[in-house]
Amino acid sequence: MVSKENFYYLTKNNYFRLPDFLLPKQMKNEGNFIISLGNLCKWLANYAESLGVDIFPGFTAQKLYFNEDDGAIQGVITGEKGLGKNGEKLSLYEPSVALLGKQTVFAEGCRGHLGKQLIKKFNLYDKNNFQTYAIGLKELWEIDNSKFEKGSVLHSIGWPLNNNTYGGSFFYKLSDNLASIGLVVGLDYKNPYLNPYEEFQKFKTHKIIKNILNGGKRVSYGARALNEGGYQSLPKLTFPGGAIIGCNAGTLNVLKIKGSHTAMKSGIIFAEEFHKHYQSGSKEKEIKAYMNSFKKSSIQKELFESRNVRPGFKNGMLIGLLNTFLDQKILRGRAPWTLKHSKKDNEKTKNKNLYNKIIYPKADNKITFDKLSNLSFSGTNHKENQPCHLLIQNVQLPLDVNLNLFASPETRYCPANVYEILEENIEEASGKKRKKYKLQINFQNCLHCKTCDIKDPHQNIQWTTPEGGDGPRYSGM
């Protein structure tokens, strides 16, 4: 349980503790437990199986299965196994399986690839609503309890992020010797040279953080996109044959930097409404009562009260902080207005000519690490002889647009070195020399964070599920 909590504003060479009375109530962690979500999910899986729930590890939900008569969702189709890199069937080939049910509940987490299709198919977003995102980067460290006590929580804003980049850090002590440290960076940043992974490494060199990490040992690494749109970005949650819940729908509370509680609650509410619906004998395929119950729930209340915080930062850190103080401390989340998100994250990226390149310090392999070194601590693994699960819609865009206008931002926003621009010197028949560029995709490195699916300037990269069971194997995360 949280026993000590501090919130800091960092500058390059100093830090200032923000007094508790300035912090919104939702940002405080008193009474919260510090746990590993991965370990909780393992426990929940075992408990669910003990109740008779069938779990299918190693199978992916690859496609939607529609009822041919009325177009309702009837289930999902799993991904094929044993395909070669060109899609050919190998000796261990296993065909897809259709998993059908009365209702199919989609809880894929942030930016689910089936969730994207459902939102489009059933027009779940009204008017001009859309989701906004951040990327969270995280490491687990072994740290002596005398340097950072069990139950301690540290959050910060400010350095190394500039005034126009939204984000902040977290540092939690889970046990006597294990701590979780990370940095969240809003994906609405404009500078194409910004590298969220390197910003995280740079953050760890601040004296207040480095003093804690010195002598410690990094034991795990991971990254994941998270929802930040909140109340304004919630879609319609139901459609004929199913529902979309949790972070797939965007229920994370960005002010708390937490979404597990709201995700679980959204599932509980749907289960209750599902039970009532079929007990009543209704033949309707859409459980519309779920949306009404959701609007009356603690999730809706939380998200409504914090709705103006995130869009308040679109004009910079200072204005965002002033807006947060007014909205949370003075108006208590009950402002008579609702701020809007201005643009999708991918539309915020500006031309490279407007910025100077950012030169990040070289990793010291003690406190800071390069991407590939850290990747080995994620446990990620994909069979190399399988189809690439990162689909490029237009193969010319990465070179004609991303490289020329944005200096290939995919090589920086990806936290796993999946995307590389290879350069080759070509000598033409005339003797003239020129450079030829090629985008190489190292899909076997992929951490399944979904950032490329979100931040690519022209939404040209589509994340899909790889062969079942492949991907990161986080330990204790």
Side-chain angles (χ1 to χ4, degrees):
M1 184 177 286
V2 174
S3 59
K4 182 181 179 182
E5 183 174 11
N6 288 303
F7 199 108
Y8 294 99
Y9 177 80
L10 304 184
T11 64
K12 183 178 181 179
N13 298 311
N14 215 333
Y15 57 91
F16 305 91
R17 184 181 180 275
L18 300 183
D20 289 344
F21 73 86
L22 288 178
L23 299 177
K25 182 179 179 181
Q26 289 199 46
M27 293 180 70
K28 298 177 181 178
N29 289 281
E30 183 180 356
N32 289 346
F33 289 91
I34 306 174
I35 65 168
S36 160
L37 188 58
N39 290 343
L40 172 65
C41 288
K42 289 178 184 177
W43 179 86
L44 283 172
N46 291 331
Y47 185 73
E49 287 182 315
S50 73
L51 298 176
V53 175
D54 290 324
I55 297 177
F56 300 93
F59 288 83
T60 60
Q62 184 74 37
K63 298 176 183 177
L64 300 170
Y65 189 96
F66 295 96
N67 184 298
E68 293 182 357
D69 297 327
D70 57 14
I73 288 291
Q74 201 167 340
V76 296
I77 301 173
T78 66
E80 297 172 279
K81 293 184 178 183
L83 291 178
K85 62 182 179 181
N86 296 315
E88 71 276 15
K89 296 178 182 178
L90 303 178
S91 58
L92 296 177
Y93 173 77
E94 294 180 32
S96 298
V97 176
L99 299 174
L100 310 181
K102 292 180 180 179
Q103 290 281 311
T104 306
V105 185
F106 293 83
E108 303 169 277
C110 175
R111 192 71 171 192
H113 82 289
L114 296 181
K116 280 173 57 183
Q117 297 174 40
L118 291 165
I119 287 170
K120 184 176 181 180
K121 168 73 176 177
F122 294 106
N123 297 313
L124 301 182
Y125 273 136
D126 291 331
K127 302 174 185 176
N128 295 317
N129 285 3
F130 52 86
Q131 187 59 256
T132 67
Y133 302 89
I135 179 173
L137 303 118
K138 177 179 174 181
E139 293 172 354
L140 286 185
W141 279 69
E142 291 180 352
I143 298 174
D144 190 88
N145 207 47
S146 63
K147 303 193 76 172
F148 196 47
E149 293 181 4
K150 178 182 176 181
S152 295
V153 167
L154 186 157
H155 286 103
S156 75
I157 54 174
W159 191 89
L161 301 178
N162 61 39
N163 181 62
N164 294 315
T165 303
Y166 180 83
S169 77
F170 59 88
F171 203 169
Y172 305 144
K173 192 67 183 300
L174 287 83
S175 64
D176 287 338
N177 68 339
L178 196 62
S180 169
I181 182 171
L183 184 71
V184 176
V185 180
L187 288 176
D188 59 344
Y189 64 82
K190 300 174 182 178
N191 186 345
Y193 290 114
L194 189 140
N195 187 323
Y197 176 86
E198 294 295 347
E199 295 290 336
F200 173 39
Q201 299 306 306
K202 192 175 177 182
F203 157 72
K204 292 186 294 174
T205 66
H206 193 280
K207 62 182 181 181
I208 193 174
I209 305 300
K210 190 174 183 178
N211 286 342
I212 299 174
L213 296 178
N214 268 331
K217 179 183 178 183
R218 166 213 47 184
V219 294
S220 192
Y221 162 69
R224 187 67 168 92
L226 52 125
N227 312 104
E228 288 198 333
Y231 174 81
Q232 295 91 318
S233 297
L234 287 173
K236 181 174 178 286
L237 301 176
T238 61
F239 41 84
I244 183 171
I245 68 170
C247 287
N248 210 6
T251 58
L252 182 139
N253 184 338
V254 70
L255 185 57
K256 283 188 173 182
I257 330 173
K258 294 173 180 64
S260 301
H261 64 301
T262 51
M264 289 189 286
K265 181 66 175 178
S266 70
I268 291 169
I269 297 170
F270 184 82
E272 292 170 345
E273 291 303 330
F274 173 83
H275 180 71
K276 292 177 189 175
H277 185 82
Y278 283 97
Q279 284 290 102
S280 71
S282 174
K283 300 298 182 182
E284 288 289 325
K285 290 193 173 182
E286 182 172 354
I287 305 180
K288 296 179 180 178
Y290 174 55
M291 198 72 187
N292 295 327
S293 294
F294 184 95
K295 289 179 178 179
K296 297 175 183 176
S297 72
S298 59
I299 309 172
Q300 179 88 349
K301 182 176 184 294
E302 262 192 52
L303 297 184
F304 181 80
E305 290 181 355
S306 62
R307 71 194 184 283
N308 286 328
V309 173
R310 180 62 180 93
F313 282 86
K314 62 186 175 184
N315 293 314
M317 175 72 72
L318 180 59
I319 293 176
L321 291 175
L322 291 173
N323 171 73
T324 300
F325 182 82
L326 171 65
D327 186 74
Q328 295 296 307
K329 300 300 289 185
I330 307 298
L331 300 176
R332 306 289 181 181
R334 301 184 184 92
W337 58 80
T338 296
L339 301 179
K340 300 293 184 183
H341 301 294
S342 57
K343 289 182 179 180
K344 294 180 180 179
D345 294 331
N346 64 294
E347 297 171 352
K348 291 287 190 77
T349 309
K350 299 292 186 182
N351 192 293
K352 66 181 183 180
N353 294 328
L354 298 174
Y355 301 91
N356 295 320
K357 290 184 179 180
I358 302 176
I359 307 300
Y360 290 99
K362 187 177 179 180
D364 63 15
N365 293 318
K366 295 179 181 177
I367 301 295
T368 61
F369 312 95
D370 64 77
K371 283 185 185 179
L372 289 180
S373 295
N374 239 353
L375 188 66
S376 64
F377 285 80
S378 70
T380 195
N381 178 63
H382 300 82
K383 299 181 187 70
E384 293 194 20
N385 188 32
Q386 68 171 278
C388 177
H389 65 280
L390 301 164
L391 308 181
I392 305 296
Q393 309 300 301
N394 182 330
V395 294
Q396 283 303 118
L397 277 181
L399 302 178
D400 294 347
V401 177
N402 285 15
L403 176 61
N404 291 330
L405 299 183
F406 306 109
S408 299
E410 62 271 26
T411 63
R412 287 178 291 279
Y413 60 61
C414 173
N417 216 47
V418 168
Y419 301 97
E420 286 186 273
I421 297 295
L422 302 183
E423 182 181 303
E424 183 181 358
N425 291 315
I426 301 293
E427 185 172 340
E428 299 176 348
S430 63
K432 185 179 179 180
K433 294 182 179 180
R434 64 181 178 86
K435 293 184 184 297
K436 182 180 179 181
Y437 298 96
K438 175 187 175 183
L439 174 67
Q440 177 169 291
I441 302 178
N442 307 309
F443 72 87
Q444 63 273 17
N445 292 357
C446 184
L447 290 172
H448 300 190
C449 73
K450 313 291 183 68
T451 304
C452 59
D453 195 283
I454 297 164
K455 188 61 175 172
D456 183 77
H458 288 275
Q459 297 284 272
N460 192 42
I461 303 173
Q462 181 182 348
W463 188 95
T464 61
T465 52
E467 187 166 298
D470 284 359
R473 298 192 192 285
Y474 296 135
S475 175
M477 294 287 267

